[in-house]
Amino acid sequence: MAALAGDEAVILVTGGTGLVGCGVKEALESMNKSNEKWIFLSSKDGNLIELEETKKIFEKYKPTHVLHLAAFVGGLFRNLKYKVEFYRWNVLMNDNIMECCRLYKVRKLVSCLSTCIFPDKTSYPIDETMVHSGPPHSSNEGYAYAK
């Protein structure tokens, strides 16, 4: 991610302590990141489900770019037990991130999702053209439809 005309790029990574966030951080350790400041958030940094808390994070770090990896996730039994909550909380989180990117004039937002959004009944290997070719597994509906 290059900064424009010598400006420092500030890249905010939500879900920065999760599986993908840790992978991004590890990959960056071997790269030259001149003019880039990477901030890896965890859920302890603020509740992205709450708009005001999300705004405070954007005000504090003033990101120029956002890599949105955060999500409310759980295992199979949590997915089934809290299907509506998973949907609602992930939609709120995504909406708050997008709204703050708009309000704080973030140059680029990249959002990430999981393979569990893909249809339950599909052929492999899967690719992005197949994402809407059928419903996800019923245990993933809340998360999958929110992402």
Side-chain angles (χ1 to χ4, degrees):
M1 230 164 270
L4 296 176
D7 293 339
E8 182 178 59
V10 178
I11 302 100
L12 184 71
V13 182
T14 67
T17 59
L19 178 69
V20 178
C22 287
V24 170
K25 191 173 195 175
E26 184 178 319
L28 288 170
E29 289 173 0
S30 64
M31 302 171 103
N32 180 6
K33 306 176 300 278
S34 63
N35 293 333
E36 295 178 2
K37 179 179 179 183
W38 288 76
I39 299 152
F40 290 84
L41 298 179
S42 77
S43 57
K44 294 175 185 167
D45 293 299
N47 183 355
L48 300 176
I49 294 169
E50 298 294 333
L51 180 58
E52 291 308 312
E53 286 193 46
T54 308
K55 284 180 179 179
K56 286 179 185 174
I57 290 169
F58 275 69
E59 288 168 12
K60 179 178 180 179
Y61 295 111
K62 298 178 180 23
T64 58
H65 300 75
V66 173
L67 177 56
H68 179 42
L69 306 175
F72 187 81
V73 296
L76 174 65
F77 294 108
R78 278 183 71 192
N79 285 351
L80 289 168
K81 184 175 181 180
Y82 299 107
K83 195 178 290 191
V84 172
E85 290 86 347
F86 273 46
Y87 173 79
R88 184 170 185 271
W89 294 334
N90 281 299
V91 166
L92 286 169
M93 190 182 310
N94 294 341
D95 187 60
N96 290 341
I97 291 294
M98 287 188 291
E99 177 64 359
C100 284
C101 285
R102 183 188 70 80
L103 291 173
Y104 295 93
K105 300 186 182 352
V106 168
R107 292 183 206 149
K108 177 146 310 229
L109 165 64
V110 176
S111 292
C112 197
L113 44 81
S114 167
T115 57
C116 76
I117 70 154
F118 282 90
D120 181 33
K121 307 292 185 217
T122 191
S123 59
Y124 291 91
I126 55 177
D127 67 37
E128 67 277 3
T129 64
M130 303 161 79
V131 74
H132 297 295
S133 62
H137 189 274
S138 61
S139 68
N140 291 323
E141 286 175 340
Y143 173 83
Y145 287 125
K147 288 304 214 175

